[in-house]
C-alpha cells in the first residue's frame, strides 16, 4: 500500500455511522438526513449498539443518552474502555440541555452533543466536522505506523507490536520467534543501479515478505535501510525456520537481476531466526539482539541462507 493509494482510498470510501436510539422515529429522522452521504447502521438499544460497534466498526456513533437498560453514558464508557472500539467518535444526542450532563459526556470521551429536536443544518455540520477530524486522525496514525516507501509496518509499529506480543506469549507461555532479514549486497546494488532502482528493489522485496508472512497475528516491518524484521507470535523454532526458508526462496523467485552480487546473479536475502518462550517482560530486546547475531552468522556463512538459535530461558548474565 502506497501513501497516495491510502489518500485515495480514504477519499473514496463512504464513512460509516451507527445511529443508536430507543425511539424508532428518532432513528428515522437522522437516517433520512444522513443516508446520502454516509453508510448508515442502526441500533435500538445499548447492547445492540456495542455488538454493532465491534462487528461494523463505524467511524462515528450518534448515541441517544436516555435509553432503558444500558444508557448512552454506559455505552460510551464501554466503547472507550475497549481498545478495539476506543477510536470510534461518539456524539451524544440529548433531549434537553443540561450542562452537568454535557460535562459528564465529554469526560467520558464524547466529541460533541446534538440536541433534540434535531436541527438538520446543525446536525449535518457537526457530523461532517467530526467525520473529517476522525479521518485525519486515522490518516495520521497510518503515517505514524507505516513505512512511506514500502507501505509495510515501520520500526515504531514493530516495537509496539513486539512488546504486546511478548507480554501475551509470556502470559500464555507460548513461543515467540523473530526473523531479522537483510538484502545481500544491497550497497553494491544501489551503487551500480542507482537509488531509484534501489527503492524499487526494496518495494519488491517488502511485497515478497508480506506475501510470505501473512497469518493474522504475524507482522512484517521495515527495520531500517535494507533491513526487515518479522514477528511470529505463537511460532515454534522449527516453524520460524521454515518460514525464513520460504522467505529466502520467495525473494529468489521474484528474480531481481543483480549482476554485481557475488552470491548469485539476482537479489538474495539472509535471515537470522531467534525463538524463545518469554519469561521476563523487560528482556524482549535481547531476542532482537539474538536474531541480529544469527543474521550476522548467516552473512558470514555465505549469505542467502538462514541461521537460527533457540533460547530456553532469556536471562541477564
Ligand atoms: Mg431515548
Amino acid at each position: 500500500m502506497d501513501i497516495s493509494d491510502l489518500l485515495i482510498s480514504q477519499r473514496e470510501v463512504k464513512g460509516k455511522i451507527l445511529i443508536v436510539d430507543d425511539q424508532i422515529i428518532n432513528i428515522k429522522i437522522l437516517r433520512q438526513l444522513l443516508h446520502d452521504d454516509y453508510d448508515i447502521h442502526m441500533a435500538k438499544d445499548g447492547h445492540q449498539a456495542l455488538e454493532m460497534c465491534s462487528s461494523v466498526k463505524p467511524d462515528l456513533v450518534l448515541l441517544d443518552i436516555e435509553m432503558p437498560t444500558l444508557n448512552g453514558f454506559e455505552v460510551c464508557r464501554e466503547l472507550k474502555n475497549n481498545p478495539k472500539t476506543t477510536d470510534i467518535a461518539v456524539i451524544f444526542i440529548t433531549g434537553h440541555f443540561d450542562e452537568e450532563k454535557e460535562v459528564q459526556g465529554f469526560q467520558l470521551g464524547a466529541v460533541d452533543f446534538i440536541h433534540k429536536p434535531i436541527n438538520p443544518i446543525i446536525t449535518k455540520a457537526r457530523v461532517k466536522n467530526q467525520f473529517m477530524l476522525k479521518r485525519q486522525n486515522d490518516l495520521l496514525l497510518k503515517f505514524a505506523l507505516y513505512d512511506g516507501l514500502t507501505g509495510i509496518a515501520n520500526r515504531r509499529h514493530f516495537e509496539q507490536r513486539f512488546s504486546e506480543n511478548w507480554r501475551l506469549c509470556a502470559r500464555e507461555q507460548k513461543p515467540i520467534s523473530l526473523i531479522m532479514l537483510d538484502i545481500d549486497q544491497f550497497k553494491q546494488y544501489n551503487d551500480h543501479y542507482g537509488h531509484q532502482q534501489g527503492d524499487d528493489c526494496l518495494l519488491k522485496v517488502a511485497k515478497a515478505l508480506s506475501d510470505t508472512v501473512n497469518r493474522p497475528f504475524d507482522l512484517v516491518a521495515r527495520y531500517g535501510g535494507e533491513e526487515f524484521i518479522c514477528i511470529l507470535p505463537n511460532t515454534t523454532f522449527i516453524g520460524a525456520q521454515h518460514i525464513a526458508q520460504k522467505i529466502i526462496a520467495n525473494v529468489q523467485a521474484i528474480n531481481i537481476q543483480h549482476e554485481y552480487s557475488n552470491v548469485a546473479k539476482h537479489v538474495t536475502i539472509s535471515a537470522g531466526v531467534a525463538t524463545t518462550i518469554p519469561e521476563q517482560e523487560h528482556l524482549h530486546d535481547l531476542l532482537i539482539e539474538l536474531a541480529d547475531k544469527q543474521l550476522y552468522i548467516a552473512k558470514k556463512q555465505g549469505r542467502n541462507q538462514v541461521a537460527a538459535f533457540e533460547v530456553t530461558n532469556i536471562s541477564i548474565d
Side-chain angles (χ1 to χ4, degrees):
M1 166 188 50
D2 188 272
I3 295 298
S4 54
D5 290 343
L6 201 67
L7 286 165
I8 291 163
S9 73
Q10 289 264 330
R11 237 178 284 136
E12 281 175 353
V13 175
K14 244 186 177 186
K16 275 188 266 184
I17 295 181
L18 175 67
I19 302 171
V20 188
D21 204 304
D22 58 326
Q23 306 288 318
I24 301 296
I25 182 71
N26 291 334
I27 294 185
K28 278 188 176 161
I29 292 168
L30 285 166
R31 188 182 174 279
Q32 188 61 31
L33 197 63
L34 300 165
H35 82 278
D36 280 344
D37 302 316
Y38 305 94
D39 186 3
I40 303 292
H41 300 262
M42 293 159 283
K44 58 183 186 339
D45 62 56
H47 294 286
Q48 202 185 1
L50 288 173
E51 267 175 46
M52 290 188 74
C53 281
S54 295
S55 58
V56 172
K57 295 191 176 33
D59 298 288
L60 188 75
V61 183
L62 296 175
L63 186 56
D64 181 28
I65 296 176
E66 289 89 18
M67 294 188 293
T69 67
L70 205 58
N71 70 34
F73 285 153
E74 290 165 318
V75 172
C76 183
R77 191 178 294 120
E78 293 261 337
L79 290 178
K80 295 296 154 188
N81 282 338
N82 181 347
K84 290 197 175 110
T85 54
T86 190
D87 292 335
I88 299 173
V90 174
I91 296 181
F92 279 121
I93 309 284
T94 174
H96 40 261
F97 180 78
D98 179 338
E99 194 174 275
E100 214 171 293
K101 274 203 167 158
E102 293 209 2
V103 169
Q104 198 186 346
F106 282 120
Q107 281 171 339
L108 282 171
V111 291
D112 208 352
F113 275 80
I114 291 173
H115 299 102
K116 286 188 266 196
I118 299 294
N119 175 308
I121 293 168
I122 292 176
T123 303
K124 271 189 156 182
R126 292 206 154 142
V127 167
K128 190 179 171 194
N129 286 343
Q130 289 307 331
F131 194 76
M132 278 164 62
L133 277 174
K134 169 76 168 46
R135 278 281 149 107
Q136 280 168 8
N137 272 340
D138 290 351
L139 206 59
L140 280 177
L141 205 65
K142 279 180 181 152
F143 279 126
L145 295 178
Y146 291 89
D147 176 48
L149 173 69
T150 60
I152 63 173
N154 64 17
R155 188 166 177 158
R156 188 187 294 131
H157 195 171
F158 160 77
E159 271 153 14
Q160 268 180 21
R161 278 281 286 278
F162 184 42
S163 55
E164 283 167 23
N165 285 321
W166 181 273
R167 256 179 279 132
L168 208 70
C169 288
R171 198 181 316 141
E172 294 174 358
Q173 283 299 287
K174 297 257 172 68
I176 185 164
S177 298
L178 286 180
I179 309 175
M180 186 77 95
L181 298 142
D182 187 270
I183 301 175
D184 296 324
Q185 312 219 296
F186 190 65
K187 191 189 174 307
Q188 283 82 339
Y189 189 92
N190 264 335
D191 287 351
H192 288 95
Y193 296 106
H195 286 274
Q196 190 83 43
Q197 211 169 316
D199 283 355
D200 200 43
C201 172
L202 287 170
L203 231 146
K204 285 179 181 156
V205 170
K207 184 170 186 313
L209 297 185
S210 41
D211 286 349
T212 314
V213 181
N214 54 14
R215 298 172 309 174
F217 296 102
D218 296 342
L219 183 86
V220 180
R222 186 166 175 208
Y223 198 63
E226 69 274 23
E227 248 189 339
F228 299 90
I229 194 160
C230 307
I231 312 173
L232 308 169
N234 199 0
T235 305
T236 62
F237 187 48
I238 302 287
Q241 286 177 82
H242 178 71
I243 292 169
Q245 294 288 5
K246 230 164 93 182
I247 290 172
I248 285 178
N250 289 352
V251 169
Q252 292 217 70
I254 51 174
N255 200 18
I256 308 166
Q257 194 187 16
H258 189 351
E259 291 289 337
Y260 307 94
S261 163
N262 57 21
V263 184
K265 290 287 160 230
H266 51 262
V267 168
T268 58
I269 196 163
S270 298
V273 174
T275 305
T276 194
I277 296 174
E279 298 284 345
Q280 284 160 283
E281 196 162 306
H282 58 286
L283 294 174
H284 70 289
D285 283 350
L286 281 177
L287 197 68
I288 303 175
E289 277 174 38
L290 283 169
D292 199 35
K293 208 166 163 187
Q294 292 306 305
L295 174 61
Y296 176 76
I297 292 169
K299 293 268 181 194
K300 243 180 113 179
Q301 286 172 346
R303 303 184 170 93
N304 193 25
Q305 58 188 280
V306 181
F309 189 71
E310 182 174 31
V311 224
T312 44
N313 192 353
I314 291 189
S315 59
I316 307 166
D317 51 27

